[in-house]
Amino acid sequence: GEVEPVELRATHNRDTLRDTLIRISNELDEPAQPPQPVPATLSFLYGEVGRRTEIAQSINDVEAALYRPRAREARLLIQPVEAPSPNINLLASLIVNHLEGFPGLVSVYIKDLQSDRELNINADIAMSGMSIMKVPIVLEVYRLLDSEPDAELALLIEETLLESGNFSANQLLDVIAGQDNGYLGADQVTNSMQRLGLQNTFMVTPYEEQPRPNLDTLDTPANQRADINANPDPGIQTTAKDMGTLMTMLYYCAEFDGGALIAAYEGDITQAECQAILDVLDQNFIGSLIEEGVPPDTRVAHKHGWISDTHGDAGIVYTQNGDYVIVQYMHQANWLEWAESSPLMADISRATYNYFNFDSPYLGTQISN
């Protein structure tokens, strides 16, 4: 006989179905994993992609399958969940954790020169200016020049930046003053730094000279802090952020003929002069500190300095995956051992290089403990 089709009559509880799909998604779904630091090598791993069941978009197909006489399979829509992008806070946490055993003060400023991202670890602490302040002195010399420096002046600049010559730096202060008066030259350097907004950077006493009877220091927001003190030299001070900001200005001036230096001193400072300063700093080879933390062929334009209780280095690092400024100071009351500070500062540099070069980290030599 004939077979008559029987109409399918059925109902379902949508809330129960939704609850079932939620239980399934709880088994299937995996959250995306964020990037992770690798402390042993001061490098980083990308995060891992997760997955998420789209219940609202899947439920209609499941319901339709319930009422089909055949081909009653339904497919859940599962979407990938992108892993978070690396964030500069990842670098900050790696550095802070790595320095956990250091008993003194650490001040670090890092600036991504492709964006506005920056890292500050105690970057507003007043620090002794040391030889790093010779960069502002040379910048002020170039600001006052109307032509390229003659051979004698070029030699003074090189001795100041490459040999950290205190005598040559004081001679440049005389050049700035236009007379044999390094104190006046120091005032002019200070005024220029203040004009650039570097309010924690000053020089009131030339190198290895006696303080003035009526002016041995200046009050700044950084050295008026009551919560933290690096015992900075009263006569010459700066902060990691101020020096990092100045290096950033030099970079934008040299690379793009723009930025705050050109804006503040239009006509007084040129792109070629900024490049000339960085070209000299690029010849500062010491094999440690920032340099030690990057591959040997990496361009590093930097100025370092140290005194008994404070060591520092400020520079620009040029890499295939992005250029950046890094400034770091370490301080320990009374005496800071070079054997302790130098490897740690190289480690900070290496971690920073690896953050900017995620896919090709520099593993360097033995990591310090």
Side-chain angles (χ1 to χ4, degrees):
E2 293 185 7
V3 176
E4 292 190 18
V6 177
E7 182 183 355
L8 177 63
R9 294 173 183 169
T11 60
H12 73 281
N13 186 309
R14 190 167 230 223
D15 290 337
T16 301
L17 175 60
R18 188 182 302 276
D19 289 343
T20 301
L21 294 182
I22 289 173
R23 285 199 304 273
I24 294 172
S25 70
N26 288 339
E27 296 291 328
L28 292 176
D29 291 0
E30 290 185 357
Q33 298 301 311
Q36 297 291 329
V38 184
T41 56
L42 295 175
S43 60
F44 304 87
L45 292 175
Y46 283 109
E48 295 182 2
V49 175
R51 61 178 181 239
R52 179 181 63 245
T53 305
E54 300 291 351
I55 293 174
Q57 288 88 337
S58 300
I59 198 167
N60 288 339
D61 189 38
V62 174
E63 287 179 322
L66 291 175
Y67 293 91
R68 286 198 293 268
R70 60 183 65 85
R72 303 182 69 209
E73 291 182 354
R75 296 186 179 276
L76 298 179
L77 180 61
I78 298 177
Q79 296 282 17
V81 179
E82 293 297 323
S85 298
N87 186 289
I88 204 160
N89 292 332
L90 186 68
L91 173 60
S93 65
L94 179 60
I95 291 173
V96 168
N97 290 338
H98 189 69
L99 297 172
E100 197 170 359
F102 178 67
L105 287 173
V106 180
S107 179
V108 179
Y109 176 84
I110 295 164
K111 170 77 172 183
D112 180 350
L113 291 168
Q114 286 66 238
S115 73
D116 291 329
R117 292 182 301 165
E118 60 182 30
L119 180 154
N120 293 273
I121 301 172
N122 296 326
D124 289 319
I125 299 174
M127 307 299 294
S128 296
M130 305 181 293
S131 287
I132 295 174
M133 271 293 289
K134 289 165 183 170
V135 176
I137 292 174
V138 170
L139 175 60
E140 184 65 4
V141 169
Y142 271 101
R143 191 180 75 78
L144 297 171
L145 285 177
D146 292 328
S147 59
E148 290 187 17
D150 59 28
E152 182 181 357
L153 185 55
L155 182 59
L156 277 180
I157 289 170
E158 287 195 6
E159 288 176 351
T160 298
L161 293 181
L162 300 182
E163 300 173 22
S164 277
N166 289 341
F167 179 70
S168 59
N170 288 347
Q171 287 182 290
L172 291 180
L173 290 176
D174 291 341
V175 170
I176 291 168
Q179 55 183 280
D180 185 11
N181 188 340
Y183 296 91
L184 179 58
D187 289 344
Q188 289 186 221
V189 171
T190 299
N191 290 340
S192 278
M193 294 302 101
Q194 301 283 323
R195 183 170 170 181
L196 291 172
L198 309 182
Q199 56 183 340
N200 295 305
T201 300
F202 67 83
M203 186 176 199
V204 295
T205 307
Y207 289 101
E208 299 178 341
E209 296 289 349
Q210 292 299 312
R212 299 181 229 196
N214 59 339
L215 184 67
D216 64 348
T217 193
L218 296 178
D219 290 341
T220 69
N223 66 25
Q224 294 303 293
R225 288 177 59 170
D227 60 325
I228 198 163
N229 185 1
N231 190 34
D233 180 345
I236 176 169
Q237 292 180 22
T238 188
T239 63
K241 184 168 185 179
D242 272 13
M243 278 299 99
T245 302
L246 184 64
M247 298 301 285
T248 300
M249 291 177 184
L250 279 169
Y251 177 87
Y252 288 135
C253 172
E255 292 286 324
F256 306 112
D257 194 18
L261 270 179
I262 297 293
Y265 292 122
E266 188 174 3
D268 289 341
I269 195 78
T270 67
Q271 183 177 21
E273 289 173 328
C274 291
Q275 189 61 63
I277 295 171
L278 294 180
D279 285 345
V280 177
L281 292 174
D282 191 22
Q283 300 171 49
N284 182 24
F285 301 116
I286 61 172
S288 58
L289 306 179
I290 294 174
E291 288 176 59
E292 190 179 350
V294 302
D297 58 349
T298 304
R299 182 185 175 198
V300 180
H302 73 114
K303 184 75 195 83
H304 61 286
W306 55 73
I307 55 177
S308 61
D309 64 359
T310 305
H311 304 158
D313 201 7
I316 302 167
V317 181
Y318 300 80
T319 81
Q320 285 188 333
N321 294 300
D323 304 335
Y324 58 90
V325 165
I326 174 170
V327 181
Q328 46 183 332
Y329 292 88
M330 299 189 80
H331 167 81
Q332 193 165 355
N334 301 318
W335 183 261
L336 176 59
E337 285 287 349
W338 175 255
E340 182 169 16
S341 69
S342 177
L344 285 173
M345 293 172 79
D347 287 351
I348 295 170
S349 174
R350 184 176 300 116
T352 306
Y353 177 89
N354 290 343
Y355 172 77
F356 282 91
N357 296 272
F358 235 79
D359 295 320
S360 52
Y362 177 58
L363 302 183
T365 53
Q366 181 67 36
I367 304 298
S368 63
N369 294 318

